[in-house]
Amino acid sequence: MHVDVSRPADRYSPLYFLASLGAGGLSVTFFMYLFFWVDHPAHPVPVFEDVARVFLAGGLPVQGMIVLAYLGITILAFVHYKLLIWNIVQYRRLKGTPKWHELTTTNAETQLLAMPLTLAMAVNVGFVLGLALVPRLWSVVEYLFPLALIAFALVGWIAFRQLGDFLGRVLTRGGVFDVTAHNSFAQLLPTFALAMVAVGFAAPAAMSEVPLTAGVSLIGSTFFGVAAMLYGVVAAITGFNSMLHYGTSRESGPTLLVVIPIMTVLGIMFLRQEHGMSHTFDAEIAGIETLVFLSRLLAVQVVFLLLGLVVLNRQGYWGQYIFGTENSSGAYALVCPGVALSVMLHFWLNAGLVGAGLVTKFSPGFWAISGLAVSIQFVMVWFVWHLNRRHFGHARRAEPVPAE
């Protein structure tokens, strides 16, 4: 008799990179507390010295908020890098196996893009940790920006190489792409990966005082952003067409919500570019323009949130893969939309409503919208814990099966 005591994560899929991605995104959500609630007039983003000054001068609520932010940033960053290392080890072991051959000869090949997507997040999380924890980082930040651009360029090269392998195969050999298995937004994962590279590439544009650095950042982020949008339009249209013909794949249902993080990531990219054009190149951008732009992105997110929830509820996804007896690595795709919606609400409020003068900072209305963003964030923290316990926790003893 043979007894299976393996964990779901032991049946490895590249989609487990999304477990690391979700933890990294949640780490960044706690940085939003510092970014929007801690005064940092001398820097475009809060640095260690800004936080220390506000902590020492603030009352108990302010100090509690900062402590919570630091706990969230550091703990979730640890989980992010721990799962990233585990994924890289498992990814390397997967190469050359029959499962690898299956992945690289079917529609599922684009799952490999979860790796550069998470690597790009790892660079972003590293920068957040540096800002929050390293004293006097800003004195050498202009030397770090070129290194960051090189890092994102390398991640972008990995993403393009993997995407090129996939497109080169399906566009030169007829009949190898299964349209009947294209009935989801799973093919939008490359768009998400390229968009994550783009938003990272745009960071120096918003923060560098060196025009050349900011200019390279603007050009590079535009390239990756446009590439993401072009691929996304094609993948979304063809995927939706397949869903209308064959219905949405049950296990891939969460991919309907991937549009939400893509909108947030591209939105932040555009905001960083706008700040760089305004701060470094003297372009004039009105606050109301930013509000309208962010409102459009938020509207797209809400529409796809409603669509995704309708499909997931009708399919019984929650009872099957989240709270039921079955497990799917694709369930981690549900973390990113919640994280992205929380971050978008922060930007919509602070860069949009406050920037346009419609809401006063730290007013009751301000805290009401901030509270909504924080509530979504904590639901996602619980959700990550829940999924990690199911997929990476103690192995569950399965029913005995006859030995061969």
Side-chain angles (χ1 to χ4, degrees):
M1 302 289 286
H2 171 71
V3 178
D4 180 13
V5 293
S6 65
R7 307 170 304 170
D10 293 329
R11 297 180 289 277
Y12 181 70
S13 163
L15 290 180
Y16 274 116
F17 272 104
L18 300 181
S20 173
L21 179 73
L26 280 171
S27 177
V28 174
T29 63
F30 280 95
F31 186 73
M32 295 295 100
Y33 296 7
L34 307 180
F35 188 45
F36 291 119
W37 301 345
V38 170
D39 189 34
H40 47 94
H43 309 100
V45 289
V47 296
F48 176 84
E49 289 78 9
D50 294 317
V51 180
R53 171 178 49 79
V54 172
F55 182 85
L56 294 175
L60 189 60
V62 172
Q63 292 176 337
M65 176 271 292
I66 292 175
V67 169
L68 178 61
Y70 269 75
L71 287 173
I73 290 170
T74 53
I75 292 173
L76 287 161
F78 172 78
V79 175
H80 164 68
Y81 287 116
K82 177 183 176 182
L83 290 174
L84 176 61
I85 293 171
W86 177 84
N87 269 284
I88 291 174
V89 171
Q90 299 301 318
Y91 183 90
R92 291 175 63 87
R93 290 176 178 172
L94 183 66
K95 284 190 171 183
T97 65
K99 188 171 182 179
W100 176 266
H101 176 74
E102 179 184 349
L103 277 171
T104 54
T105 54
T106 64
N107 295 11
E109 185 176 3
T110 52
Q111 291 182 9
L112 302 180
L113 272 293
M115 186 259 283
L117 167 63
T118 309
L119 290 177
M121 174 61 80
V123 180
N124 287 321
V125 172
F127 196 72
V128 165
L129 288 173
L131 292 174
L133 300 175
V134 180
R136 297 186 57 79
L137 179 71
W138 207 254
S139 63
V140 297
V141 75
E142 292 294 352
Y143 298 100
L144 299 179
F145 286 144
L147 297 178
L149 292 175
I150 292 173
F152 282 114
L154 290 174
V155 175
W157 175 76
I158 294 173
F160 271 118
R161 186 183 66 178
Q162 292 180 335
L163 185 57
D165 289 340
F166 171 71
L167 292 178
R169 177 174 62 85
V170 300
L171 294 179
T172 58
R173 296 167 53 196
V176 298
F177 186 81
D178 187 356
V179 178
T180 64
H182 186 32
N183 53 339
S184 70
F185 278 169
Q187 294 301 322
L188 281 176
L189 188 59
T191 292
F192 195 5
L194 294 174
M196 188 64 73
V197 174
V199 72
F201 225 101
M207 293 181 279
S208 178
E209 300 287 341
V210 178
L212 179 59
T213 301
V216 171
S217 174
L218 285 170
I219 295 169
S221 60
T222 298
F223 171 74
F224 284 108
V226 169
M229 288 183 281
L230 287 175
Y231 187 88
V233 168
V234 174
I237 292 174
T238 56
F240 201 79
N241 179 66
S242 184
M243 283 186 279
L244 290 175
H245 280 82
Y246 307 107
T248 304
S249 168
R250 180 182 294 272
E251 193 169 352
S252 299
T255 62
L256 290 174
L257 302 176
V258 75
V259 174
I260 297 175
I262 290 173
M263 289 297 101
T264 291
V265 170
L266 290 177
I268 296 174
M269 180 201 75
F270 283 118
L271 289 179
R272 287 176 169 178
Q273 289 183 332
E274 286 182 359
H275 185 81
M277 290 186 292
S278 175
H279 179 73
T280 307
F281 300 102
D282 299 322
E284 293 186 9
I285 300 170
I288 192 63
E289 292 177 326
T290 301
L291 172 61
V292 172
F293 169 69
L294 292 176
S295 296
R296 290 168 179 165
L297 296 184
L298 186 59
V300 173
Q301 290 178 315
V302 172
V303 169
F304 277 93
L305 174 65
L306 296 175
L307 173 64
L309 292 178
V310 165
V311 174
L312 292 173
N313 288 335
R314 291 287 183 92
Q315 290 182 330
Y317 187 90
W318 312 103
Q320 185 173 4
Y321 296 109
I322 305 302
F323 302 108
T325 57
E326 297 185 47
N327 291 286
S328 171
S329 57
Y332 279 99
L334 292 170
V335 177
C336 296
V339 170
L341 194 58
S342 175
V343 171
M344 176 58 81
L345 285 172
H346 279 296
F347 276 94
W348 180 67
L349 170 62
N350 291 273
L353 294 173
V354 174
L358 297 182
V359 173
T360 302
K361 195 164 187 175
F362 303 141
S363 65
F366 177 92
W367 288 119
I369 299 175
S370 296
L372 177 59
V374 171
S375 297
I376 297 172
Q377 173 196 26
F378 274 91
V379 169
M380 289 301 105
V381 170
W382 169 84
F383 190 55
V384 165
W385 172 83
H386 174 73
L387 289 179
N388 285 351
R389 187 169 60 88
R390 287 179 63 97
H391 289 259
F392 295 93
H394 295 297
R396 299 178 182 179
R397 186 174 295 274
E399 291 295 325
V401 296
E404 296 182 357

